[in-house]
Amino acid sequence: MSYSYTHPHPAVTTDIVLFTIRDHRLEVLLIRRGSDPFKDSWALPGGFINIDEDLAACALRELEEETGVAGVYLEQLYTFGTPGRDPRERVISVAYYALVPPDRISIRAASDAKEVAWFKLDKLPPLAFDHESIVAMAHKRLSAKLNYSTIALQFMPEKFTLSELQQVYESILGEKLDKRNFRKRVLTLDCIRDIGESRRNGNHRPARLYAVKSPGTVEFIR
Amino acid sequence: MSYSYTHPHPAVTTDIVLFTIRDHRLEVLLIRRGSDPFKDSWALPGGFINIDEDLAACALRELEEETGVAGVYLEQLYTFGTPGRDPRERVISVAYYALVPPDRISIRAASDAKEVAWFKLDKLPPLAFDHESIVAMAHKRLSAKLNYSTIALQFMPEKFTLSELQQVYESILGEKLDKRNFRKRVLTLDCIRDIGESRRNGNHRPARLYAVKSPGTVEFIR
DNA sequence: GCAAAAGTGTTCTAGGTACACCCATGT
DNA sequence: ACATGGGTGTACCTAGAACACTTTTGC
């Protein structure tokens, strides 16, 4: 089967920077490529768009096919199209970033990915193509968005403590926050609610549990 | 000549929302389409990418070819790729927005554009494709960016008064600003300088003239 | 002298930052 | 009793908002 056009067409892909937070550290999901180019290199999940497929749907499908991950929060990041960024042919990649709570994921390698793994953001291996700059831009966008939206709640499981939420902010921003100021701020946002339960986490006072009021939605603040 | 691929490839275009400000009103540059689809409709300038051309270069080239406008400030906006947005074939459009001072432009129709004209943003004609939503998103981005960058300076000619700059902000935001607070704010940004000249604009006191310190660069503030 | 836009400071308010101690639990 | 993280309130500071009169020019 072959498809012909009167003018040359670039290939279009989506690439996804999937973030989660584990052990108080921001992590990115990578696949080890099973075929050339960059065979055996680590890369972002992603791939070629189907001819009748929406861009975001393509990103979700590739993520599911290559890693088994579904049900994430997804947002378009930027479109990367420098000629030569893929040695095979002209490839324009619409990059997305996605967030998932660490308890909502069971990854598996599939499709043309030999292997799937989470990497600490500050300990990434060398990446294929221009994927390092895609990851860098995604992290920058995510950090910026913490300050004017409730996007961080997308990392939270169904029930969580305020300390856990604070650790999420600290992991992304890479700095310690003041406990009292942090709690005052997130509680006045009125986006999480005290569910009246508590959880024992060690040899100390149990922590109150909270839940996101509108899961799946990200609101702008300030 | 024909180009064949083993998998179908979408076409890739760029579309450009070029803004300027004239008579204290935000305006958008449109072309009247000379060919189908949407023949005779107004649309954003833009067109198909060349196979070895960078995305931003494509946007600048299309703008130049179709309207004669060059030397603008350009920024990637969003990528629109809903299947069916172009009736001919699958087209993915990387949208850009651009800003130009009103004195830096001489428009002319060329290429497949029959006609080129500026329209007040609040009096746009019906647009081809999904160009209305592209314009809406560009305006939203521009408004947001006024609050955390010096992007408005891209609209200013070489010499301008503080009142003129204020009118630019007011046109984009669609609201009146306080003169004293506005002046205090832009002067503390330290991005424009008093060039020691003044200009008479009518039967009243002449206004001091200012110039942008670093033309062509947009800084983040706050 | 009158019309018209240019230019200029102070007060108030709200949101952000800095900061230290008691509480509930397990061992 | 002690170690550990959970939970709480106040004072300060700074940036943004509100607000009115004098100046310089042309006619």
Side-chain angles (χ1 to χ4, degrees):
Chain A
M1 193 77 181
S2 156
Y3 301 87
S4 291
Y5 306 91
T6 55
H7 297 284
H9 282 38
V12 174
T13 62
T14 59
D15 288 308
I16 306 97
V17 186
L18 178 64
F19 288 112
T20 195
I21 295 195
R22 258 190 18 210
D23 303 328
H24 313 172
R25 304 279 289 283
L26 192 56
E27 295 188 340
V28 175
L29 189 67
L30 299 177
I31 61 163
R32 194 192 279 277
R33 289 180 58 81
S35 47
D36 271 322
F38 293 99
K39 185 170 195 294
D40 300 323
S41 276
W42 291 97
L44 293 173
F48 295 95
I49 196 168
N50 292 332
I51 200 65
D52 278 321
E53 182 179 44
D54 194 47
L55 289 165
C58 174
L60 293 172
R61 175 183 56 77
E62 290 286 350
L63 196 56
E64 216 282 329
E65 282 180 12
E66 294 186 341
T67 69
V69 175
V72 301
Y73 172 82
L74 187 79
E75 206 172 301
Q76 196 185 104
L77 174 65
Y78 193 79
T79 298
F80 294 79
T82 310
R85 59 180 290 284
D86 189 310
R88 290 168 289 186
E89 61 176 323
R90 178 71 192 280
V91 176
I92 289 167
S93 175
V94 184
Y96 281 78
Y97 70 104
L99 314 184
V100 74
D103 65 326
R104 285 254 307 287
I105 36 178
S106 53
I107 61 176
R108 59 172 165 77
S111 166
D112 56 336
K114 290 168 61 172
E115 201 180 336
V116 180
W118 292 98
F119 288 82
K120 302 280 177 222
L121 181 62
D122 51 9
K123 285 180 185 164
L124 294 186
L127 299 185
F129 306 105
D130 53 0
H131 289 186
E132 265 145 28
S133 39
I134 301 180
V135 172
M137 189 182 287
H139 182 214
K140 198 172 144 196
R141 179 81 61 89
L142 177 60
S143 302
K145 224 152 174 172
L146 280 198
N147 295 311
Y148 63 89
S149 81
T150 59
I151 197 169
L153 298 176
Q154 297 300 319
F155 282 117
M156 305 317 289
E158 200 190 331
K159 303 173 177 186
F160 56 92
T161 70
L162 288 182
S163 294
E164 286 164 357
L165 181 58
Q166 182 171 347
Q167 281 152 6
V168 166
Y169 275 79
E170 290 174 343
S171 319
I172 299 168
L173 296 173
E175 60 182 346
K176 290 285 168 194
L177 301 175
D178 178 87
K179 201 202 314 187
R180 279 168 296 187
N181 293 339
F182 178 79
R183 286 166 184 239
K184 199 192 313 172
R185 183 144 150 60
V186 299
L187 290 175
T188 57
L189 289 182
D190 197 38
C191 284
I192 59 177
R193 63 165 210 282
D194 185 339
I195 59 173
E197 300 173 35
S198 58
R199 179 201 290 156
R200 293 181 199 156
N201 250 336
N203 307 347
H204 53 81
R205 178 174 177 173
R208 292 189 157 189
L209 290 175
Y210 291 79
V212 177
K213 281 191 178 174
S214 323
T217 68
V218 170
E219 289 172 31
F220 291 87
I221 54 182
R222 278 197 239 191
Chain B
M1 193 76 183
S2 154
Y3 300 85
S4 293
Y5 306 91
T6 55
H7 298 284
H9 281 38
V12 175
T13 63
T14 59
D15 288 308
I16 306 96
V17 185
L18 178 63
F19 289 111
T20 196
I21 295 195
R22 258 190 16 210
D23 304 327
H24 312 175
R25 304 278 289 283
L26 193 55
E27 295 188 339
V28 175
L29 189 67
L30 298 176
I31 62 164
R32 194 190 278 279
R33 289 180 57 83
S35 47
D36 271 322
F38 294 99
K39 187 169 193 296
D40 299 323
S41 277
W42 292 97
L44 294 173
F48 295 95
I49 195 167
N50 291 331
I51 200 64
D52 278 319
E53 183 179 42
D54 195 45
L55 289 165
C58 175
L60 293 172
R61 174 182 55 76
E62 290 286 349
L63 197 56
E64 216 282 328
E65 281 180 13
E66 294 186 341
T67 70
V69 174
V72 301
Y73 172 82
L74 187 78
E75 206 173 301
Q76 197 186 105
L77 174 65
Y78 194 78
T79 298
F80 295 79
T82 310
R85 59 180 291 282
D86 189 310
R88 290 168 289 187
E89 62 176 321
R90 178 70 192 282
V91 176
I92 289 166
S93 175
V94 184
Y96 281 78
Y97 70 104
L99 314 183
V100 76
D103 65 328
R104 284 256 308 285
I105 37 178
S106 54
I107 63 177
R108 58 170 166 77
S111 163
D112 56 337
K114 290 168 61 172
E115 201 179 338
V116 179
W118 291 98
F119 288 82
K120 304 278 179 221
L121 181 63
D122 51 9
K123 285 179 185 164
L124 294 186
L127 299 186
F129 308 105
D130 53 359
H131 288 186
E132 266 144 27
S133 38
I134 299 180
V135 172
M137 189 182 287
H139 182 214
K140 197 174 145 198
R141 178 80 61 90
L142 178 59
S143 303
K145 218 145 179 176
L146 279 199
N147 294 311
Y148 63 88
S149 80
T150 59
I151 196 168
L153 298 177
Q154 297 302 317
F155 283 116
M156 304 318 290
E158 199 189 332
K159 303 173 177 187
F160 56 92
T161 71
L162 288 182
S163 294
E164 285 164 356
L165 182 58
Q166 182 172 346
Q167 282 153 4
V168 166
Y169 274 80
E170 289 173 344
S171 319
I172 299 169
L173 297 173
E175 59 181 348
K176 291 284 170 198
L177 300 176
D178 178 86
K179 201 203 311 188
R180 281 170 292 187
N181 292 338
F182 178 80
R183 286 166 183 239
K184 200 190 314 173
R185 184 146 148 58
V186 299
L187 290 176
T188 57
L189 288 182
D190 197 38
C191 284
I192 60 176
R193 62 164 211 284
D194 185 339
I195 60 172
E197 299 173 37
S198 59
R199 178 200 292 156
R200 292 181 200 155
N201 251 335
N203 306 347
H204 53 81
R205 176 173 179 173
R208 292 189 158 190
L209 290 174
Y210 291 80
V212 177
K213 282 191 177 175
S214 322
T217 66
V218 170
E219 288 172 31
F220 292 88
I221 55 183
R222 278 196 240 190

